[in-house]
Amino acid sequence: MPSDVFIAINSDALYTMSKVYIGRALLRKGSSDLDEYQLWASLALELLGKAALAHKHPSLVVDPTHSPSMFVAAGINVTTDVKTITAKTLFERLAHLVPRFDKTIQKFCLEISERRNAELHSADIPFRAMRLDAWEARYWHACDTILLHMGSSLEQWLGAADAKAPRHLLDEAAKALDAAVKLRVEAAKEQFEALKKVERDRLMAEAELREPQHLAGLFKGSYDEIWKECCPACKCRAFMTGEQTGEDINEEWDEDAIWEIVDREFVGEEFHCPTCDLTLMGSDEINAAGVSYIHKDQQEREMEYEPDYGND
């Protein structure tokens, strides 16, 4: 990674500026200016996200169609007019970089950035229409997810004294989510167990015949993989889908071919049980239900080589 990148895409500089902006946000909240509170908070979130990408590599935050910016990302400072990616691209990339930054968080982050753009570039007043309890806890959750991936925390980002309120909100939101998911699982379990035994047995037998490749229509989103899970409510075969976050490739040789052994890792985004209709959205709900949102598998594939030309 280049050590001498322009300050506009330097991870430490972006992180520091995000701290400045969240400080301004909390000052506005303290004076009951909730419109500006959300405005500064949305800017802080975007800068924090860019800091996380730049921490991995500064090329992840520059506009790939602007070649001078790509040079700067490589440590060659040919311009001070560095162009960076849009908020939409930022949150899409964070979803690939940060395992717990799932579709639910991504959607929330995009919505707050769109409200900010409408606030700044039109006569609309979208922030005024948003109640504090409709966005604040989810905001701290999104920031906390990014910060934990960076090895930081809300307390470090805000300063220990200022972090109590958002940490309290985050803890309360997490408790509420945990309780709601457990009740959802328990309700699905009770409904299934209320069926006659012969009906339960029939449904469980049908569930065992279902295979992942036939069930893409179960899910709202389009993901990299679908895999089998045991439903925490009815114990039937259920399914989860999510994005691939990494793979490790090793080669094995035999007399006829070279094989790649690919260990893959996925993060679950959606869980659905066709038998009892239990649905879980996002890694937090999946985790709260007692189901692992991390999935690993192994594939074998034969390496293919193009024929050599001009060597005969």
PDB file of all heavy atoms in Angstrom, residues 4-32:
ATOM      1  N   ASP A   4       2.492   7.379   0.859  1.00  0.00           N
ATOM      2  CA  ASP A   4       2.446   8.818   0.627  1.00  0.00           C
ATOM      3  C   ASP A   4       1.305   9.137  -0.340  1.00  0.00           C
ATOM      4  O   ASP A   4       1.511   9.388  -1.517  1.00  0.00           O
ATOM      5  CB  ASP A   4       3.795   9.301   0.055  1.00  0.00           C
ATOM      6  CG  ASP A   4       3.810  10.804  -0.156  1.00  0.00           C
ATOM      7  OD1 ASP A   4       3.011  11.494   0.515  1.00  0.00           O
ATOM      8  OD2 ASP A   4       4.586  11.281  -1.005  1.00  0.00           O
ATOM      9  N   VAL A   5       0.091   9.095   0.157  1.00  0.00           N
ATOM     10  CA  VAL A   5      -1.061   9.428  -0.674  1.00  0.00           C
ATOM     11  C   VAL A   5      -1.599  10.787  -0.267  1.00  0.00           C
ATOM     12  O   VAL A   5      -1.452  11.215   0.879  1.00  0.00           O
ATOM     13  CB  VAL A   5      -2.175   8.365  -0.578  1.00  0.00           C
ATOM     14  CG1 VAL A   5      -1.687   7.032  -1.100  1.00  0.00           C
ATOM     15  CG2 VAL A   5      -2.684   8.228   0.845  1.00  0.00           C
ATOM     16  N   PHE A   6      -2.232  11.448  -1.212  1.00  0.00           N
ATOM     17  CA  PHE A   6      -2.795  12.762  -0.960  1.00  0.00           C
ATOM     18  C   PHE A   6      -3.800  12.680   0.190  1.00  0.00           C
ATOM     19  O   PHE A   6      -4.512  11.685   0.348  1.00  0.00           O
ATOM     20  CB  PHE A   6      -3.460  13.272  -2.241  1.00  0.00           C
ATOM     21  CG  PHE A   6      -3.962  14.684  -2.154  1.00  0.00           C
ATOM     22  CD1 PHE A   6      -3.106  15.725  -1.854  1.00  0.00           C
ATOM     23  CD2 PHE A   6      -5.301  14.963  -2.372  1.00  0.00           C
ATOM     24  CE1 PHE A   6      -3.573  17.015  -1.782  1.00  0.00           C
ATOM     25  CE2 PHE A   6      -5.780  16.253  -2.312  1.00  0.00           C
ATOM     26  CZ  PHE A   6      -4.912  17.290  -2.010  1.00  0.00           C
ATOM     27  N   ILE A   7      -3.868  13.747   0.994  1.00  0.00           N
ATOM     28  CA  ILE A   7      -4.673  13.739   2.205  1.00  0.00           C
ATOM     29  C   ILE A   7      -6.144  13.449   1.932  1.00  0.00           C
ATOM     30  O   ILE A   7      -6.852  12.899   2.771  1.00  0.00           O
ATOM     31  CB  ILE A   7      -4.505  15.086   2.950  1.00  0.00           C
ATOM     32  CG1 ILE A   7      -5.086  14.971   4.368  1.00  0.00           C
ATOM     33  CG2 ILE A   7      -5.127  16.228   2.155  1.00  0.00           C
ATOM     34  CD1 ILE A   7      -4.751  16.163   5.227  1.00  0.00           C
ATOM     35  N   ALA A   8      -6.617  13.774   0.738  1.00  0.00           N
ATOM     36  CA  ALA A   8      -8.031  13.564   0.402  1.00  0.00           C
ATOM     37  C   ALA A   8      -8.428  12.098   0.465  1.00  0.00           C
ATOM     38  O   ALA A   8      -9.604  11.782   0.677  1.00  0.00           O
ATOM     39  CB  ALA A   8      -8.343  14.122  -0.983  1.00  0.00           C
ATOM     40  N   ILE A   9      -7.475  11.185   0.264  1.00  0.00           N
ATOM     41  CA  ILE A   9      -7.802   9.754   0.305  1.00  0.00           C
ATOM     42  C   ILE A   9      -6.922   9.012   1.313  1.00  0.00           C
ATOM     43  O   ILE A   9      -6.792   7.796   1.243  1.00  0.00           O
ATOM     44  CB  ILE A   9      -7.679   9.111  -1.095  1.00  0.00           C
ATOM     45  CG1 ILE A   9      -6.294   9.367  -1.695  1.00  0.00           C
ATOM     46  CG2 ILE A   9      -8.770   9.613  -2.017  1.00  0.00           C
ATOM     47  CD1 ILE A   9      -6.050   8.589  -2.977  1.00  0.00           C
ATOM     48  N   ASN A  10      -6.361   9.744   2.248  1.00  0.00           N
ATOM     49  CA  ASN A  10      -5.568   9.136   3.308  1.00  0.00           C
ATOM     50  C   ASN A  10      -6.510   8.637   4.407  1.00  0.00           C
ATOM     51  O   ASN A  10      -7.365   9.376   4.894  1.00  0.00           O
ATOM     52  CB  ASN A  10      -4.582  10.159   3.875  1.00  0.00           C
ATOM     53  CG  ASN A  10      -3.773   9.603   5.024  1.00  0.00           C
ATOM     54  OD1 ASN A  10      -4.230   9.594   6.156  1.00  0.00           O
ATOM     55  ND2 ASN A  10      -2.570   9.132   4.726  1.00  0.00           N
ATOM     56  N   SER A  11      -6.373   7.382   4.794  1.00  0.00           N
ATOM     57  CA  SER A  11      -7.303   6.790   5.748  1.00  0.00           C
ATOM     58  C   SER A  11      -7.334   7.534   7.078  1.00  0.00           C
ATOM     59  O   SER A  11      -8.412   7.819   7.622  1.00  0.00           O
ATOM     60  CB  SER A  11      -6.934   5.321   5.993  1.00  0.00           C
ATOM     61  OG  SER A  11      -7.796   4.739   6.938  1.00  0.00           O
ATOM     62  N   ASP A  12      -6.165   7.865   7.610  1.00  0.00           N
ATOM     63  CA  ASP A  12      -6.117   8.563   8.896  1.00  0.00           C
ATOM     64  C   ASP A  12      -6.762   9.939   8.809  1.00  0.00           C
ATOM     65  O   ASP A  12      -7.477  10.363   9.731  1.00  0.00           O
ATOM     66  CB  ASP A  12      -4.673   8.701   9.377  1.00  0.00           C
ATOM     67  CG  ASP A  12      -4.053   7.362   9.770  1.00  0.00           C
ATOM     68  OD1 ASP A  12      -4.835   6.416  10.034  1.00  0.00           O
ATOM     69  OD2 ASP A  12      -2.816   7.262   9.794  1.00  0.00           O
ATOM     70  N   ALA A  13      -6.519  10.632   7.681  1.00  0.00           N
ATOM     71  CA  ALA A  13      -7.104  11.966   7.511  1.00  0.00           C
ATOM     72  C   ALA A  13      -8.633  11.879   7.386  1.00  0.00           C
ATOM     73  O   ALA A  13      -9.358  12.695   7.959  1.00  0.00           O
ATOM     74  CB  ALA A  13      -6.514  12.641   6.275  1.00  0.00           C
ATOM     75  N   LEU A  14      -9.109  10.892   6.652  1.00  0.00           N
ATOM     76  CA  LEU A  14     -10.554  10.716   6.510  1.00  0.00           C
ATOM     77  C   LEU A  14     -11.190  10.369   7.853  1.00  0.00           C
ATOM     78  O   LEU A  14     -12.274  10.870   8.195  1.00  0.00           O
ATOM     79  CB  LEU A  14     -10.838   9.608   5.485  1.00  0.00           C
ATOM     80  CG  LEU A  14     -10.556   9.956   4.027  1.00  0.00           C
ATOM     81  CD1 LEU A  14     -10.499   8.683   3.181  1.00  0.00           C
ATOM     82  CD2 LEU A  14     -11.616  10.912   3.478  1.00  0.00           C
ATOM     83  N   TYR A  15     -10.534   9.522   8.614  1.00  0.00           N
ATOM     84  CA  TYR A  15     -11.044   9.139   9.935  1.00  0.00           C
ATOM     85  C   TYR A  15     -11.101  10.358  10.854  1.00  0.00           C
ATOM     86  O   TYR A  15     -12.095  10.573  11.567  1.00  0.00           O
ATOM     87  CB  TYR A  15     -10.144   8.052  10.520  1.00  0.00           C
ATOM     88  CG  TYR A  15     -10.549   7.569  11.888  1.00  0.00           C
ATOM     89  CD1 TYR A  15     -11.557   6.623  12.047  1.00  0.00           C
ATOM     90  CD2 TYR A  15      -9.913   8.043  13.032  1.00  0.00           C
ATOM     91  CE1 TYR A  15     -11.928   6.164  13.304  1.00  0.00           C
ATOM     92  CE2 TYR A  15     -10.269   7.602  14.299  1.00  0.00           C
ATOM     93  CZ  TYR A  15     -11.274   6.666  14.428  1.00  0.00           C
ATOM     94  OH  TYR A  15     -11.631   6.224  15.681  1.00  0.00           O
ATOM     95  N   THR A  16     -10.038  11.155  10.836  1.00  0.00           N
ATOM     96  CA  THR A  16     -10.004  12.348  11.682  1.00  0.00           C
ATOM     97  C   THR A  16     -11.104  13.333  11.300  1.00  0.00           C
ATOM     98  O   THR A  16     -11.770  13.907  12.168  1.00  0.00           O
ATOM     99  CB  THR A  16      -8.629  13.036  11.580  1.00  0.00           C
ATOM    100  OG1 THR A  16      -7.618  12.130  12.026  1.00  0.00           O
ATOM    101  CG2 THR A  16      -8.576  14.291  12.420  1.00  0.00           C
ATOM    102  N   MET A  17     -11.317  13.524   9.991  1.00  0.00           N
ATOM    103  CA  MET A  17     -12.362  14.447   9.559  1.00  0.00           C
ATOM    104  C   MET A  17     -13.746  13.913   9.928  1.00  0.00           C
ATOM    105  O   MET A  17     -14.637  14.679  10.285  1.00  0.00           O
ATOM    106  CB  MET A  17     -12.272  14.662   8.047  1.00  0.00           C
ATOM    107  CG  MET A  17     -13.260  15.703   7.517  1.00  0.00           C
ATOM    108  SD  MET A  17     -13.083  17.333   8.305  1.00  0.00           S
ATOM    109  CE  MET A  17     -11.511  17.860   7.620  1.00  0.00           C
ATOM    110  N   SER A  18     -13.913  12.592   9.873  1.00  0.00           N
ATOM    111  CA  SER A  18     -15.205  12.024  10.283  1.00  0.00           C
ATOM    112  C   SER A  18     -15.463  12.302  11.759  1.00  0.00           C
ATOM    113  O   SER A  18     -16.606  12.539  12.170  1.00  0.00           O
ATOM    114  CB  SER A  18     -15.249  10.523   9.988  1.00  0.00           C
ATOM    115  OG  SER A  18     -14.464   9.782  10.913  1.00  0.00           O
ATOM    116  N   LYS A  19     -14.402  12.292  12.583  1.00  0.00           N
ATOM    117  CA  LYS A  19     -14.550  12.611  14.002  1.00  0.00           C
ATOM    118  C   LYS A  19     -14.952  14.075  14.200  1.00  0.00           C
ATOM    119  O   LYS A  19     -15.768  14.391  15.066  1.00  0.00           O
ATOM    120  CB  LYS A  19     -13.233  12.333  14.744  1.00  0.00           C
ATOM    121  CG  LYS A  19     -12.872  10.866  14.848  1.00  0.00           C
ATOM    122  CD  LYS A  19     -11.565  10.655  15.601  1.00  0.00           C
ATOM    123  CE  LYS A  19     -11.687  11.044  17.052  1.00  0.00           C
ATOM    124  NZ  LYS A  19     -10.459  10.677  17.814  1.00  0.00           N
ATOM    125  N   VAL A  20     -14.393  14.947  13.361  1.00  0.00           N
ATOM    126  CA  VAL A  20     -14.763  16.363  13.435  1.00  0.00           C
ATOM    127  C   VAL A  20     -16.244  16.536  13.108  1.00  0.00           C
ATOM    128  O   VAL A  20     -16.975  17.261  13.803  1.00  0.00           O
ATOM    129  CB  VAL A  20     -13.902  17.191  12.459  1.00  0.00           C
ATOM    130  CG1 VAL A  20     -14.425  18.626  12.360  1.00  0.00           C
ATOM    131  CG2 VAL A  20     -12.439  17.191  12.902  1.00  0.00           C
ATOM    132  N   TYR A  21     -16.696  15.847  12.069  1.00  0.00           N
ATOM    133  CA  TYR A  21     -18.081  15.994  11.624  1.00  0.00           C
ATOM    134  C   TYR A  21     -19.068  15.398  12.626  1.00  0.00           C
ATOM    135  O   TYR A  21     -20.141  15.961  12.854  1.00  0.00           O
ATOM    136  CB  TYR A  21     -18.264  15.355  10.251  1.00  0.00           C
ATOM    137  CG  TYR A  21     -17.802  16.220   9.099  1.00  0.00           C
ATOM    138  CD1 TYR A  21     -17.008  17.343   9.317  1.00  0.00           C
ATOM    139  CD2 TYR A  21     -18.152  15.926   7.789  1.00  0.00           C
ATOM    140  CE1 TYR A  21     -16.569  18.137   8.276  1.00  0.00           C
ATOM    141  CE2 TYR A  21     -17.727  16.727   6.724  1.00  0.00           C
ATOM    142  CZ  TYR A  21     -16.929  17.823   6.974  1.00  0.00           C
ATOM    143  OH  TYR A  21     -16.502  18.606   5.938  1.00  0.00           O
ATOM    144  N   ILE A  22     -18.736  14.259  13.227  1.00  0.00           N
ATOM    145  CA  ILE A  22     -19.662  13.689  14.203  1.00  0.00           C
ATOM    146  C   ILE A  22     -19.684  14.553  15.460  1.00  0.00           C
ATOM    147  O   ILE A  22     -20.720  14.651  16.148  1.00  0.00           O
ATOM    148  CB  ILE A  22     -19.322  12.218  14.532  1.00  0.00           C
ATOM    149  CG1 ILE A  22     -20.518  11.531  15.211  1.00  0.00           C
ATOM    150  CG2 ILE A  22     -18.080  12.111  15.393  1.00  0.00           C
ATOM    151  CD1 ILE A  22     -21.794  11.522  14.414  1.00  0.00           C
ATOM    152  N   GLY A  23     -18.571  15.218  15.749  1.00  0.00           N
ATOM    153  CA  GLY A  23     -18.559  16.169  16.861  1.00  0.00           C
ATOM    154  C   GLY A  23     -19.506  17.335  16.595  1.00  0.00           C
ATOM    155  O   GLY A  23     -20.262  17.755  17.485  1.00  0.00           O
ATOM    156  N   ARG A  24     -19.486  17.848  15.353  1.00  0.00           N
ATOM    157  CA  ARG A  24     -20.410  18.920  14.988  1.00  0.00           C
ATOM    158  C   ARG A  24     -21.858  18.425  15.052  1.00  0.00           C
ATOM    159  O   ARG A  24     -22.754  19.176  15.471  1.00  0.00           O
ATOM    160  CB  ARG A  24     -20.098  19.412  13.574  1.00  0.00           C
ATOM    161  CG  ARG A  24     -18.770  20.148  13.454  1.00  0.00           C
ATOM    162  CD  ARG A  24     -18.492  20.542  12.016  1.00  0.00           C
ATOM    163  NE  ARG A  24     -17.180  21.165  11.876  1.00  0.00           N
ATOM    164  CZ  ARG A  24     -16.642  21.525  10.714  1.00  0.00           C
ATOM    165  NH1 ARG A  24     -17.313  21.320   9.593  1.00  0.00           N
ATOM    166  NH2 ARG A  24     -15.456  22.082  10.682  1.00  0.00           N
ATOM    167  N   ALA A  25     -22.061  17.169  14.642  1.00  0.00           N
ATOM    168  CA  ALA A  25     -23.410  16.600  14.680  1.00  0.00           C
ATOM    169  C   ALA A  25     -23.950  16.579  16.106  1.00  0.00           C
ATOM    170  O   ALA A  25     -25.099  16.984  16.365  1.00  0.00           O
ATOM    171  CB  ALA A  25     -23.402  15.189  14.088  1.00  0.00           C
ATOM    172  N   LEU A  26     -23.136  16.130  17.055  1.00  0.00           N
ATOM    173  CA  LEU A  26     -23.598  16.027  18.430  1.00  0.00           C
ATOM    174  C   LEU A  26     -23.804  17.396  19.062  1.00  0.00           C
ATOM    175  O   LEU A  26     -24.693  17.565  19.911  1.00  0.00           O
ATOM    176  CB  LEU A  26     -22.605  15.206  19.252  1.00  0.00           C
ATOM    177  CG  LEU A  26     -22.543  13.717  18.872  1.00  0.00           C
ATOM    178  CD1 LEU A  26     -21.447  13.016  19.645  1.00  0.00           C
ATOM    179  CD2 LEU A  26     -23.876  13.029  19.119  1.00  0.00           C
ATOM    180  N   LEU A  27     -23.029  18.381  18.635  1.00  0.00           N
ATOM    181  CA  LEU A  27     -23.262  19.759  19.097  1.00  0.00           C
ATOM    182  C   LEU A  27     -24.623  20.250  18.634  1.00  0.00           C
ATOM    183  O   LEU A  27     -25.356  20.916  19.380  1.00  0.00           O
ATOM    184  CB  LEU A  27     -22.162  20.687  18.588  1.00  0.00           C
ATOM    185  CG  LEU A  27     -20.805  20.602  19.295  1.00  0.00           C
ATOM    186  CD1 LEU A  27     -19.787  21.482  18.583  1.00  0.00           C
ATOM    187  CD2 LEU A  27     -20.947  21.033  20.758  1.00  0.00           C
ATOM    188  N   ARG A  28     -24.984  19.939  17.373  1.00  0.00           N
ATOM    189  CA  ARG A  28     -26.282  20.363  16.850  1.00  0.00           C
ATOM    190  C   ARG A  28     -27.412  19.642  17.578  1.00  0.00           C
ATOM    191  O   ARG A  28     -28.465  20.210  17.845  1.00  0.00           O
ATOM    192  CB  ARG A  28     -26.378  20.097  15.343  1.00  0.00           C
ATOM    193  CG  ARG A  28     -25.326  20.777  14.496  1.00  0.00           C
ATOM    194  CD  ARG A  28     -25.058  22.205  14.907  1.00  0.00           C
ATOM    195  NE  ARG A  28     -26.258  23.049  14.859  1.00  0.00           N
ATOM    196  CZ  ARG A  28     -26.378  24.208  15.485  1.00  0.00           C
ATOM    197  NH1 ARG A  28     -25.366  24.655  16.228  1.00  0.00           N
ATOM    198  NH2 ARG A  28     -27.481  24.905  15.370  1.00  0.00           N
ATOM    199  N   LYS A  29     -27.193  18.358  17.905  1.00  0.00           N
ATOM    200  CA  LYS A  29     -28.212  17.641  18.671  1.00  0.00           C
ATOM    201  C   LYS A  29     -28.382  18.275  20.048  1.00  0.00           C
ATOM    202  O   LYS A  29     -29.509  18.407  20.545  1.00  0.00           O
ATOM    203  CB  LYS A  29     -27.822  16.174  18.822  1.00  0.00           C
ATOM    204  CG  LYS A  29     -28.872  15.358  19.581  1.00  0.00           C
ATOM    205  CD  LYS A  29     -28.443  13.926  19.820  1.00  0.00           C
ATOM    206  CE  LYS A  29     -29.549  13.166  20.573  1.00  0.00           C
ATOM    207  NZ  LYS A  29     -29.145  11.775  20.878  1.00  0.00           N
ATOM    208  N   GLY A  30     -27.267  18.672  20.651  1.00  0.00           N
ATOM    209  CA  GLY A  30     -27.325  19.302  21.967  1.00  0.00           C
ATOM    210  C   GLY A  30     -28.105  20.588  21.979  1.00  0.00           C
ATOM    211  O   GLY A  30     -28.676  20.968  23.011  1.00  0.00           O
ATOM    212  N   SER A  31     -28.145  21.269  20.840  1.00  0.00           N
ATOM    213  CA  SER A  31     -28.906  22.519  20.745  1.00  0.00           C
ATOM    214  C   SER A  31     -30.283  22.290  20.124  1.00  0.00           C
ATOM    215  O   SER A  31     -30.950  23.240  19.723  1.00  0.00           O
ATOM    216  CB  SER A  31     -28.126  23.552  19.927  1.00  0.00           C
ATOM    217  OG  SER A  31     -27.899  23.080  18.603  1.00  0.00           O
ATOM    218  N   SER A  32     -30.672  21.015  20.016  1.00  0.00           N
ATOM    219  CA  SER A  32     -31.996  20.608  19.497  1.00  0.00           C
ATOM    220  C   SER A  32     -32.214  20.932  18.030  1.00  0.00           C
ATOM    221  O   SER A  32     -33.357  21.027  17.575  1.00  0.00           O
ATOM    222  CB  SER A  32     -33.113  21.236  20.344  1.00  0.00           C
ATOM    223  OG  SER A  32     -33.017  20.795  21.687  1.00  0.00           O
TER     224      SER A  32
END
